[in-house]
Amino acid sequence: MPLGSVKLRPGVNVEMTPALNEAGISSANLIRFKDGMVQKLGGWAKYYPFTIGSYIRALHGWQDLNEGLNLGVGAEASLSVITNGVNNAITPREREVDITPDFDTTASSALVTIGDTGSAATTNDYVFIATQISVGGLILFGLYQVTTALGANSYEITAASAAASTDSPGVVPEFDTTNGSSVVTVTLPDHGLSVGDTTDFIVATTVGGITIFGTYNVITAPTADTFTIIASSVATSTDSEFMNGGDVRLIYYIATGPVEVGAGYGLGGYGLGGYGTGVTVPSNPGTPIAATGWSLDNWGEILVACPTGGGIYYWQPNGVFTNAVLIPNAPLFNGGIFVAMPARILVAWGSTANDTTMDPLLIRWSGAGDFTVWTASSSNQAGSYRIPTGSRIVGGLQAPNQALIWTDIDLWVMNYIGLPLVFGFIKVGTGCGLVGPHAAGVLGSTVYWMNLGGFQTLSGGGVKQVPCSVWDAVYQDLDTDHLDKVVCAPNSMFNEITWYYPTLSDGTGEPVAYAKYNTNEGSWDLGTLQRTAWIDQSVLGEPIGAASSTGLIYQHEISNNADGVAMQSWFETGDFMLGNGNDIVFVDWLIPDFKYGFYNGPQVADIAVTISMKEYPGSSEVVKGPYSFNVSSQQLTVRSRGRQASLRMESSDLDSFWRIGNFRYRFAQDGRR
């Protein structure tokens, strides 16, 4: 009896019909391809033995000046740094209050005293005044650093100019509507605005049946105390309301530390030098911020972090503050950040020009070598640029030779060119936007990303779409309401780049399925595995990924198991013809060709093989198996008939590795019916 063989083509293909995908793989989970052969995917184990407490949305690894190995962890409920196995909670802290205005000015002085019972503000803190306050001829609005701490209930800030008069307590804007009109009169003493200026109201106020919120043009300015704007709809009644009910909204950005000697961090080595001296922890430390996402990078040994839609924070190992604190002068609201090279410039995208309203297409950047400088001048390289196409910036990163900015529809290159422009911007692709801020990654010198039409790549030849044999499985089940959670996961150890994405069939909105591309083989595979954040191999070793609503962190490629549990690795082939495909064939032997372990390692893998045979593509299958194969197996008897067959191979044993080669079967013709 002759022997037939099944030499599997690398790659999973869900586009082809089973018969067309002859000797190909039609579905799989937790496998990869190596030199054209199928093998079990590398496993993982916990990088950190405890949970973080919420979904992790960003990871970043770096080494500090004391050779500490750090992993920055941006989770929905926290920001932390794991250093040499110890987790340090460094979540930025805020406190938001609505209070009756209590502002005091002195004529010819820029110092303003603010009363807020229990605020316990220190000179390390910042306060954001979210409702305009008119007092002493000044309009206070935006971010201010605390200039002087005056105890637990008051403090001073410094206004941009000196007050015109001694005054108190200050007043918020008042809105007046007329029934049937969209014109709104705003009363704000000494507003300082002219016709054509814009003004922002970022605390929503309902008056006359309309809501005042956002950016407005000044239509008229009849007096120094009043001006008019046009609302988006007409008022349904004549009404008058103070913004925020007359209260001022204050948002504090709180720095915790330094701590006193003998308390907490002031013990042992940490109590030396500046860390053991100075101001004690505030009596009102606020609450940790929550974030839907994070972008993380390092500025030398300093971690820089930006919660989606929030400010930019920094934290220095062995530094003065125990939590990440607001970067002075940086934009207060941003879509995300990254550090651009070669001049080491902090770039923020989807940023603010005036600290009050985000511009979804605005890029701002700091001075070279100084992330506290953001106002452009002839003596620094700070600046800004507004992308002219698309509706919003979705993401950005520093690639090997240039920085890249994606909008929802385009790709822009951001090249460092030095003064006076600092960066040059060129659109290099249209219709190739990014689906989410973490949906792009770098493998070698090539950038890969996911957009709504497919997977894209940028290399020396420009933007190209990557042919994808699993497109149907990904895009016909893609949950487009949660694209911001798509995670791109480069694995340079195996020349693979993976996208973890949310599916309609799962319904949780979390990235629970994956599509993986092997750049050497040009092959795809797919499966189910949740990863909510990822970094490629780094100073911390092999790749690290995060999963679960409790925030688990795993290191990959260091085990043959799934965190101590046997991996359920499997694949199913398309239909292949038995013999020449004209006759019904009788198959009686399966002859394996596996590697059952690593080179010079224990050969202990146990692989289950199932063969399904049928006479025609649409006929019912005869299923035989599963049959167990191990290093001692020579052949197994099956005794089955058909014109075409498919195979399923799977393993679920601990501590095993396998790779398949030339799988053979013994057959004989058995007639045509």
Side-chain angles (χ1 to χ4, degrees):
M1 297 174 67
L3 295 178
S5 66
V6 184
K7 295 180 180 178
L8 296 173
R9 298 194 309 270
V12 173
N13 192 311
V14 302
E15 317 291 300
M16 294 181 177
T17 62
L20 185 60
N21 195 26
E22 184 176 3
I25 297 175
S26 296
S27 58
N29 194 46
L30 302 180
I31 65 165
R32 64 164 39 112
F33 296 95
K34 180 77 163 58
D35 298 328
M37 295 173 287
V38 189
Q39 68 182 47
K40 181 180 175 181
L41 186 70
W44 55 90
K46 285 189 180 70
Y47 176 83
Y48 178 67
F50 307 106
T51 60
I52 296 299
S54 61
Y55 280 113
I56 295 169
R57 300 303 181 190
L59 297 168
H60 183 73
W62 83 102
Q63 182 172 322
D64 60 43
L65 297 179
N66 291 324
E67 299 185 355
L69 298 178
N70 304 289
L71 177 64
V73 182
E76 288 189 345
S78 65
L79 176 67
S80 58
V81 175
I82 298 172
T83 303
N84 299 330
V86 177
N87 186 32
N88 303 291
I90 64 165
T91 314
R93 306 183 75 88
E94 295 180 2
R95 174 175 172 260
E96 180 178 312
V97 295
D98 290 329
I99 60 172
T100 301
D102 184 7
F103 291 70
D104 293 285
T105 60
T106 300
S108 302
S109 172
L111 291 176
V112 180
T113 301
I114 300 177
D116 178 11
T117 301
S119 56
T122 76
T123 54
N124 296 319
D125 299 338
Y126 289 80
V127 59
F128 180 69
I129 303 174
T131 47
Q132 290 93 330
I133 286 289
S134 175
V135 59
L138 300 174
I139 300 297
L140 302 175
F141 183 48
L143 188 69
Y144 300 85
Q145 185 171 8
V146 173
T147 303
T148 309
L150 301 175
N153 302 319
S154 62
Y155 54 91
E156 288 180 333
I157 62 171
T158 302
S161 60
S165 63
T166 299
D167 193 13
S168 66
V171 63
V172 299
E174 182 181 11
F175 303 111
D176 290 280
T177 61
T178 301
N179 186 28
S181 174
S182 60
V183 176
V184 179
T185 299
V186 183
T187 301
L188 184 65
D190 304 305
H191 57 72
L193 297 171
S194 301
V195 174
D197 288 347
T198 61
T199 186
D200 299 320
F201 299 114
I202 61 174
V203 177
T205 302
T206 300
V207 54
I210 59 178
T211 298
I212 306 299
F213 179 76
T215 301
Y216 296 86
N217 291 316
V218 175
I219 305 303
T220 66
T223 72
D225 299 335
T226 61
F227 61 94
T228 62
I229 59 175
I230 300 294
S232 58
S233 60
V234 298
T236 58
S237 66
T238 299
D239 195 7
S240 179
E241 296 287 346
F242 282 99
M243 187 179 190
N244 199 36
D247 288 341
V248 59
R249 177 164 296 175
L250 303 176
I251 303 173
Y252 295 93
Y253 297 85
I254 299 170
T256 57
V259 298
E260 60 185 344
V261 176
Y265 272 95
L267 298 174
Y270 261 97
L272 300 177
Y275 223 97
T277 61
V279 182
T280 61
V281 177
S283 60
N284 194 336
T287 58
I289 67 170
T292 58
W294 290 88
S295 50
L296 309 176
D297 211 331
N298 65 287
W299 182 280
E301 75 160 356
I302 297 172
L303 176 71
V304 286
C306 178
T308 302
I312 309 173
Y313 300 84
Y314 76 97
W315 178 82
Q316 184 171 6
N318 302 322
V320 171
F321 300 108
T322 60
N323 71 324
V325 297
L326 199 68
I327 291 180
N329 309 313
L332 195 56
F333 305 104
N334 307 273
I337 60 165
F338 63 90
V339 176
M341 294 297 176
R344 196 165 69 159
I345 292 172
L346 185 56
V347 176
W349 48 266
S351 192
T352 59
N354 56 6
D355 281 338
T356 56
T357 302
M358 290 178 65
D359 183 338
L361 288 170
L362 181 66
I363 301 170
R364 291 186 63 187
W365 58 87
S366 73
D370 189 345
F371 59 49
T372 67
V373 174
W374 290 82
T375 301
S377 73
S378 59
S379 61
N380 65 53
Q381 296 191 46
S384 64
Y385 181 82
R386 192 176 193 275
I387 298 293
T389 61
S391 62
R392 64 188 178 97
I393 296 173
V394 179
L397 59 77
Q398 176 63 48
N401 298 313
Q402 57 204 353
L404 300 175
I405 300 290
W406 286 268
T407 69
D408 51 338
I409 60 173
D410 299 327
L411 172 62
W412 289 74
V413 166
M414 180 177 173
N415 280 317
Y416 178 74
I417 56 176
L419 290 171
L421 298 178
V422 185
F423 288 103
F425 291 83
I426 302 172
K427 184 166 67 173
V428 295
T430 300
C432 58
L434 189 67
V435 297
H438 296 291
V442 180
L443 194 62
S445 60
T446 304
V447 181
Y448 297 86
W449 69 96
M450 182 181 185
N451 79 348
L452 279 175
F455 299 95
Q456 310 285 334
T457 181
L458 176 68
S459 56
V463 176
K464 296 179 181 179
Q465 185 155 328
V466 181
C468 180
S469 61
V470 297
W471 193 97
D472 285 358
V474 176
Y475 284 91
Q476 292 176 8
D477 194 28
L478 180 63
D479 184 350
T480 55
D481 290 335
H482 296 92
L483 293 176
D484 59 314
K485 296 177 183 176
V486 173
V487 175
C488 183
N491 185 346
S492 53
M493 296 177 65
F494 289 90
N495 298 295
E496 295 169 342
I497 192 151
T498 303
W499 285 268
Y500 295 93
Y501 60 94
T503 66
L504 294 171
S505 55
D506 173 69
T508 64
E510 294 300 325
V512 295
Y514 70 85
K516 174 154 53 71
Y517 181 58
N518 186 307
T519 61
N520 276 3
E521 308 277 348
S523 61
W524 288 87
D525 68 86
L526 77 176
T528 56
L529 181 67
Q530 185 185 81
R531 290 295 179 265
T532 61
W534 183 273
I535 56 171
D536 196 2
Q537 63 177 333
S538 63
V539 295
L540 305 177
E542 291 82 352
I544 296 173
S548 147
S549 61
T550 61
L552 294 169
I553 303 174
Y554 300 108
Q555 189 144 34
H556 285 248
E557 311 299 347
I558 62 171
S559 167
N560 288 322
N561 305 315
D563 192 30
V565 178
M567 290 176 61
Q568 305 292 318
S569 300
W570 59 269
F571 68 89
E572 294 181 351
T573 72
D575 294 343
F576 53 92
M577 295 301 169
L578 298 168
N580 58 21
N582 293 323
D583 299 312
I584 293 176
V585 165
F586 175 75
V587 175
D588 69 341
W589 282 3
L590 298 180
I591 304 173
D593 182 29
F594 286 100
K595 285 191 172 183
Y596 295 94
F598 290 125
Y599 181 76
N600 279 343
Q603 305 295 302
V604 296
D606 192 294
I607 303 105
V609 178
T610 301
I611 184 168
S612 301
M613 300 179 65
K614 53 189 175 183
E615 295 186 11
Y616 303 99
S619 61
S620 60
E621 294 180 328
V622 176
V623 180
K624 294 294 183 77
Y627 301 100
S628 179
F629 285 83
N630 55 51
V631 71
S632 301
S633 302
Q634 296 182 354
Q635 54 80 20
L636 287 174
T637 302
V638 294
R639 302 183 65 83
S640 191
R641 302 168 72 250
R643 282 191 175 91
Q644 58 197 63
S646 63
L647 294 170
R648 177 184 173 96
M649 301 187 186
E650 56 192 316
S651 68
S652 58
D653 50 342
L654 281 167
D655 304 319
S656 71
F657 169 82
W658 52 263
R659 180 184 296 151
I660 184 175
N662 183 19
F663 196 88
R664 295 179 295 166
Y665 58 93
R666 192 171 77 165
F667 71 98
Q669 292 184 355
D670 198 36
R672 297 196 174 184
R673 297 184 60 184

